[in-house]
Amino acid sequence: MNDKTLRLLEFDVILKRVAGCARSGEAAEQILGSLPLADGGEAAALKSLAGEVLERFRSGDEEGGGSLPDIGFLLPKLDVEGICLELDEAYALAVFVERGMALGKWLCPGEGRRAGEAGAEPSRLRALVRELPDCSAIPREVFRVLDREGKLRDLPEFQNIKARIRRLTGDLEAALARYLGNEETRRMLQSNVSSQRDGREVLALRANFRGRIKGIVHEVSSTGQTLFVEPEDVVEKNNDILIEKRHLDTEILRVLREMTGRVAGYRQSLAAFHRGILFLETIRARARYSFETRGNFARPGKGEVVLKQARHPLLGSQAVPIDLVMDGDTRMVIITGPNTGGKTVSLKTAGLFALMNQAGLALPAAEGTLLPFFDGIYADIGDEQSISQSLSTFSSHMTNIAAIIRAAGEDSLVLLDELGAGTDPEEGSAIAMAILDHLIAKRSRLITTTHHGILKNYGYTRQGVQNASVDFDRRTLSPTYRIIMGVPGESRAVDIAAQNGLPPALIGQARSYLREEQVDVSALISGLKKKYQELDAAAEAGKRETLRLREERRRADLKELKLRQQEMNLKAEGAGNLRRLLAESRKTLENLVREVKEGELSREKTLKVKEFLSELARTVQDEERALETEAGLLREEKRRLEAAYPPEEPSLRDGSGGTRGVSPEIAGRIPRNRPGSWEPFFAPGIEVLAGEYKRRGRILRPDKKGGWIVEIGSLRMSFPEEELLPLPPSEEEKKPFIAAADLAASSQVQFELSIRGMRLPEALDTLRRQIDAAALSGLWEFSVIHGKGDGVLQRGVHEFLKKEPLVADYYFSRPEKGGFGRTEVVLKS
């Protein structure tokens, strides 16, 4: 990276803008004198630091401290024995330390509290702040003598001297008043107030009254009409005041010298603190500039050069975002297209971005911008546009390119503008191709612009070379400044000349001179552009179709979930109805049994019992038929959904009843344990053979590592899923049973039970009904949302769950799902 490249790419202008963001003159000088880093590791570390500070700006926290005074020139003075700092110098030292400490606190909030805590490895920025020496004693020492405005405090050492000066001043004013207040002497004076000469009080005596007031003449006016006389009785009083003032100055000098000595004891720490704060301020200035330009840091990628929505930082609001892509196999891009189309600006943007990236600056571009580290960035740009005027000739171009070829290597970025221009087109094209061949052999990264048509063909015939063009609106004959990768561009010189006022006759004659082959090439380029636009439109349509299909799949997933929940609700409702029926029937049966016991068994009583049992059987059959009808409707709806998503497309269910194609967050909530069938899946309550020795156990819940916690006897152990073998339910488990429980008022089961806003008794009653309904419907896990508040509901729920016999386990949810405000409940299977 030579000075000419930095100047051509206007990197110095960027540095001036960054330096303008610094709050220290010394830090601004360091920024102006900096260069893009030649070491990739150092550049990455600098970007990392600036990135941390950029996040502080984005957080919106107000910056602490203020501008930092320059103190570098004061540090050598502290090495001099017996030196005494001036008031403003001592004040500058104290302010620098205080504001530097404030900068450190803003960069790493809470550092003072965390400095001594053990924990994770601190970030590099926090480590730099921690490494700053403690110089807090310096402002304490300085502000003991000076106030916050930098003025000397009224210390006890000065008070007696100042009191004597005030008393002597009063005596002096009284003596002068005798002259100024006496009518006879007052007419001899030019003024009715005293004056000062050489720090002494004197009277302005008219020259014609010379000798009338005895004393010392200190001065004569330029006209000779006024004598400045110090009366004899005032001389001693002036002398006394001057002596006391000298005494006060001596005492002040002593205090300042002692303060300077105490401050000088911290000179080594202060020098290290000064270096550290200036470095942090240069980082802060880089981050501030990046924040103001809405920049993002480029990632290193894997050798690609990807600029996304890149805006030239010096063009401000006039900058048109460009996209430029060079994959790992592309070493060279040849940009063609019309004049004023943005070729040179694109070239400069790429080069300036590379320099800024290696100077620790964020780039005004979109996320996803990739830039590798370059050990050298070289440019030859002959620009006759408004950005920077240049009068380079063909020979000077060749001189520059010769130097670039000698210096460039495999990890270098080379930028060549209008390669082969300024001479005979045929010879210029030949030289250009020879230069490109040489740089391809060296595997340098190259971006070049040209108008030579033969170089467009060169891009198609060389491996690792890609054509690109700047887009041009054929209707308005104006550039769009958009880069089209893979397609060469037309110069459109004739069209631009016509637009700029060249007579139509000349334009027609120029078109007649164009060779037929050139016209064919132009037609080919136009066709390629049209094809590129069609492909671009097709890609956009594909993206929209993908989004539409994704949305349809999401809706189908949700509908499947609703169907499953309706199925569970239906089962719960049916179970509740049967329980109510059984409860009522049990009472009737108990009455019949009591009647039989109380009297003799008669035919009438026997018929009554048989009639009751027949009626009960008919009622149960009616309930079963109603359930089967509802289930049939659900199955029909499910078949319709599965037909809409056949197996070759993302489907709701695969052949084994899995959830292929269903989003994970939904699939995890769909119950898969269908009654009457065994499916090989894992869920709480499932019996499994676990581990190497295949010991029988029961799954309790998932662990944090993606496995399952299994209860084997009295032990609970964690196993990965591949070490578990699910067991089908035993025949006994499949047999229905009737529990003698009063569940006539069975509730509707919920995946998430919210009891927020309830009183504790109401909440516990609701939770009890939820547990009963969940156990009956086969829902072994659900969540209770109780909120945090003052903790009454939280503690009450946990006490209740601890004593509830149907509960196998309970625990707080993960932070992203509610944390301490939500409890996950696991029931016994």
Side-chain angles (χ1 to χ4, degrees):
M1 284 169 256
N2 50 43
D3 292 339
K4 184 171 183 178
T5 296
L6 299 177
R7 186 177 66 257
L8 285 174
L9 297 177
E10 298 176 279
F11 181 68
D12 56 328
V13 180
I14 297 296
L15 289 183
K16 288 178 182 178
R17 295 189 178 185
V18 176
C21 296
R23 298 188 299 182
S24 162
E26 293 173 309
E29 289 179 5
Q30 288 187 11
I31 292 170
L32 290 173
S34 65
L35 293 173
L37 295 173
D39 183 271
E42 292 180 4
L46 190 61
K47 286 167 57 179
S48 175
L49 288 172
E52 289 187 60
V53 182
L54 179 58
E55 289 305 314
R56 294 292 299 130
F57 281 111
R58 289 173 176 169
S59 71
D61 291 346
E62 185 176 353
E63 286 189 79
S67 61
L68 299 170
D70 296 346
I71 65 167
F73 69 98
L74 295 176
L75 299 180
K77 294 181 68 173
L78 297 177
D79 294 330
V80 180
E81 187 71 26
I83 192 68
C84 179
L85 293 175
E86 300 292 337
L87 294 181
D88 58 341
E89 295 175 340
Y91 182 71
L93 288 178
V95 168
F96 182 91
V97 172
E98 281 196 337
R99 292 180 179 176
M101 291 164 51
L103 173 62
K105 290 180 180 178
W106 179 80
L107 292 175
C108 300
E111 178 57 31
R113 296 190 301 272
R114 301 174 187 169
E117 296 180 4
E121 185 72 19
S123 67
R124 187 163 184 266
L125 179 64
R126 190 172 294 277
L128 287 175
V129 173
R130 289 183 182 181
E131 290 172 2
L132 292 174
D134 183 10
C135 294
S136 57
I138 292 176
R140 285 200 302 270
E141 292 291 346
V142 172
F143 289 123
R144 192 184 69 82
V145 177
L146 306 181
D147 61 19
R148 286 291 168 177
E149 295 182 355
K151 297 179 182 178
L152 194 66
R153 291 183 182 273
D154 188 17
L155 299 176
E157 296 95 318
F158 308 147
Q159 290 175 358
N160 291 334
I161 302 174
K162 289 182 177 180
R164 289 197 297 272
I165 292 175
R166 286 194 297 271
R167 180 176 55 77
L168 291 172
T169 302
D171 293 344
L172 175 61
E173 290 174 351
L176 292 171
R178 288 196 294 270
Y179 291 97
L180 299 173
N182 186 286
E183 186 66 30
E184 182 178 354
T185 55
R186 190 168 54 194
R187 65 185 180 83
M188 303 178 191
L189 302 176
Q190 290 279 16
S191 173
N192 57 359
V193 295
S194 63
S195 301
Q196 272 201 359
R197 291 294 182 275
D198 299 327
R200 305 174 73 88
E201 295 291 331
V202 295
L203 298 174
L205 182 66
R206 297 178 189 271
N208 55 326
F209 291 103
R210 181 179 181 180
R212 298 289 295 274
I213 297 178
K214 302 296 184 182
I216 301 172
V217 177
H218 283 269
E219 190 177 325
V220 179
S221 67
S222 59
T223 61
Q225 299 297 313
T226 304
L227 305 177
F228 293 95
V229 177
E230 181 182 8
E232 290 179 348
D233 56 341
V234 173
V235 171
E236 284 302 318
K237 294 179 173 54
N238 271 327
N239 289 341
D240 292 342
I241 291 174
L242 287 175
I243 291 171
E244 290 299 328
K245 285 184 176 180
R246 295 294 182 272
H247 186 194
L248 178 61
D249 291 342
T250 302
E251 191 63 20
I252 291 173
L253 185 63
R254 181 189 65 79
V255 170
L256 292 178
R257 183 174 285 111
E258 290 178 356
M259 178 203 69
T260 302
R262 292 192 294 271
V263 170
Y266 299 95
R267 57 184 175 272
Q268 292 183 351
S269 296
L270 181 59
F273 183 85
H274 176 252
R275 289 192 301 271
I277 289 297
L278 289 188
F279 178 70
L280 290 175
E281 179 57 24
T282 61
I283 300 298
R284 192 206 68 85
R286 286 178 167 86
R288 182 69 196 182
Y289 173 79
S290 301
F291 177 72
E292 291 178 354
T293 56
R294 296 175 290 120
N296 291 296
F297 286 97
R299 293 186 286 109
K302 297 181 179 179
E304 309 101 317
V305 175
V306 178
L307 303 185
K308 288 189 175 181
Q309 296 295 294
R311 308 180 307 276
H312 195 289
L314 301 184
L315 296 181
S317 60
Q318 297 179 352
V320 177
I322 63 169
D323 293 328
L324 179 67
V325 179
M326 296 177 68
D327 58 31
D329 296 327
T330 301
R331 309 301 297 180
M332 187 176 299
V333 172
I334 301 174
I335 303 176
T336 52
N339 289 316
T340 70
K343 298 189 302 298
T344 301
V345 172
S346 301
L347 205 65
K348 282 192 168 185
T349 301
L352 186 55
F353 271 32
L355 293 174
M356 292 172 63
N357 181 57
Q358 294 181 205
L361 295 172
L363 311 177
E367 288 281 0
T369 294
L370 307 177
L371 276 175
F373 175 79
F374 297 109
D375 60 7
I377 300 171
Y378 307 98
D380 179 69
I381 300 176
D383 190 358
E384 297 180 358
Q385 302 175 42
S386 58
I387 292 180
S388 175
Q389 296 293 331
S390 175
L391 299 176
S392 299
T393 62
F394 176 75
S395 59
S396 65
H397 278 298
M398 290 299 104
T399 302
N400 294 335
I401 292 173
I404 290 173
I405 287 174
R406 287 192 296 269
E410 182 175 352
D411 295 324
S412 300
L413 175 64
V414 179
L415 308 168
L416 302 178
D417 188 33
E418 301 294 355
L419 183 61
T423 186
D424 176 74
E426 188 173 350
E427 293 185 9
S429 297
I431 294 173
M433 288 189 290
I435 292 171
L436 298 182
D437 287 341
H438 181 79
L439 292 174
I440 288 176
K442 299 186 75 170
R443 292 188 55 75
S444 300
R445 292 274 188 172
L446 171 68
I447 305 176
T448 183
T449 67
T450 185
H451 283 286
H452 291 310
I454 194 171
L455 292 183
K456 302 172 186 177
N457 183 61
Y458 181 92
Y460 284 118
T461 59
R462 294 296 192 279
Q463 187 176 2
V465 182
Q466 188 174 10
N467 278 312
S469 61
V470 287
D471 198 13
F472 191 80
D473 192 330
R474 301 183 64 178
R475 293 173 301 175
T476 61
L477 297 179
S478 59
T480 64
Y481 302 104
R482 189 169 67 98
I483 295 180
I484 301 176
M485 301 301 297
V487 180
E490 300 175 84
S491 296
R492 306 200 68 87
V494 177
D495 293 332
I496 294 174
Q499 187 186 30
N500 285 277
L502 201 65
L506 297 181
I507 296 297
Q509 187 175 0
R511 293 189 191 281
S512 68
Y513 282 127
L514 290 173
R515 298 192 306 274
E516 187 68 27
E517 293 81 1
Q518 189 170 352
V519 175
D520 292 341
V521 171
S522 297
L524 175 62
I525 292 174
S526 298
L528 286 172
K529 281 190 176 181
K530 184 177 180 181
K531 197 66 174 176
Y532 177 86
Q533 292 169 354
E534 292 174 355
L535 290 173
D536 199 19
E540 287 297 323
K543 289 180 183 178
R544 289 193 297 269
E545 181 66 13
T546 301
L547 292 175
R548 185 187 66 80
L549 291 174
R550 189 178 300 166
E551 178 62 20
E552 286 188 2
R553 188 179 73 177
R554 185 186 68 84
R555 290 177 182 174
D557 289 348
L558 291 175
K559 195 161 189 178
E560 167 76 3
L561 177 61
K562 289 179 181 178
L563 289 174
R564 282 294 173 193
Q565 191 161 4
Q566 287 176 11
E567 185 179 353
M568 292 187 63
N569 293 341
L570 182 61
K571 291 177 182 177
E573 184 179 355
N577 292 337
L578 287 175
R579 285 179 183 81
R580 285 193 292 272
L581 176 63
L582 289 173
E584 295 171 359
S585 302
R586 185 178 62 182
K587 293 177 183 177
T588 304
L589 184 59
E590 287 173 353
N591 291 333
L592 290 173
V593 171
R594 187 169 57 251
E595 289 179 8
V596 170
K597 287 181 179 180
E598 290 174 353
E600 295 181 359
L601 183 62
S602 64
R603 184 175 182 276
E604 181 182 353
K605 291 181 179 180
T606 302
L607 290 175
K608 193 174 182 180
V609 171
K610 289 182 178 179
E611 182 181 351
F612 166 75
L613 293 176
S614 298
E615 181 64 27
L616 177 60
R618 284 194 299 271
T619 304
V620 171
Q621 288 174 358
D622 291 341
E623 290 289 340
E624 287 179 346
R625 280 194 295 270
L627 285 173
E628 183 61 30
T629 301
E630 186 67 23
L633 293 175
L634 286 172
R635 285 193 295 272
E636 183 62 30
E637 179 65 17
K638 182 184 173 186
R639 280 194 294 271
R640 189 189 67 78
L641 284 173
E642 290 176 342
Y645 291 90
E648 60 269 12
E649 297 179 5
S651 62
L652 291 172
R653 291 283 182 189
D654 58 24
S656 62
T659 54
R660 181 164 53 87
V662 181
S663 52
E665 63 271 23
I666 293 177
R669 296 175 61 184
I670 297 178
R672 309 182 209 181
N673 46 339
R674 302 177 181 176
S677 65
W678 174 74
E679 299 175 9
F681 76 103
F682 299 101
I686 295 298
E687 296 288 334
V688 295
L689 296 178
E692 180 181 358
Y693 299 104
K694 296 294 183 278
R695 291 177 291 179
R696 188 182 185 97
R698 181 171 57 89
I699 293 179
L700 295 180
R701 62 177 183 274
D703 64 13
K704 297 180 179 179
K705 298 180 179 179
W708 298 90
I709 295 177
V710 180
E711 184 178 45
I712 303 175
S714 60
L715 298 177
R716 293 183 178 183
M717 304 174 67
S718 181
F719 292 94
E721 194 166 289
E722 56 267 19
E723 292 185 11
L724 299 178
L725 178 64
L727 295 174
S730 64
E731 291 300 319
E732 294 181 358
E733 292 175 344
K734 296 180 181 179
K735 293 179 181 179
F737 67 95
I738 298 176
D742 184 10
L743 299 173
S746 178
S747 302
Q748 183 177 3
V749 69
Q750 300 180 47
F751 290 113
E752 292 181 350
L753 176 66
S754 177
I755 59 173
R756 289 177 295 184
M758 298 182 183
R759 294 186 178 277
L760 184 59
E762 179 188 1
L764 296 182
D765 186 55
T766 303
L767 179 57
R768 179 184 60 77
R769 292 197 300 272
Q770 165 75 4
I771 292 174
D772 292 342
L776 291 170
S777 60
L779 178 65
W780 305 114
E781 290 192 48
F782 62 87
S783 304
V784 181
I785 302 174
H786 44 67
K788 299 178 182 176
D790 53 8
V792 173
L793 281 179
Q794 181 193 86
R795 292 192 297 273
V797 166
H798 281 216
E799 287 297 324
F800 178 82
L801 295 175
K802 185 187 300 183
K803 301 173 182 177
E804 175 57 47
L806 292 178
V807 175
D809 196 7
Y810 61 92
Y811 48 89
F812 287 121
S813 300
R814 295 195 300 272
E816 63 268 20
K817 288 190 174 182
F820 297 123
R822 169 173 165 156
T823 296
E824 305 292 337
V825 180
V826 181
L827 300 184
K828 295 179 179 178
S829 58

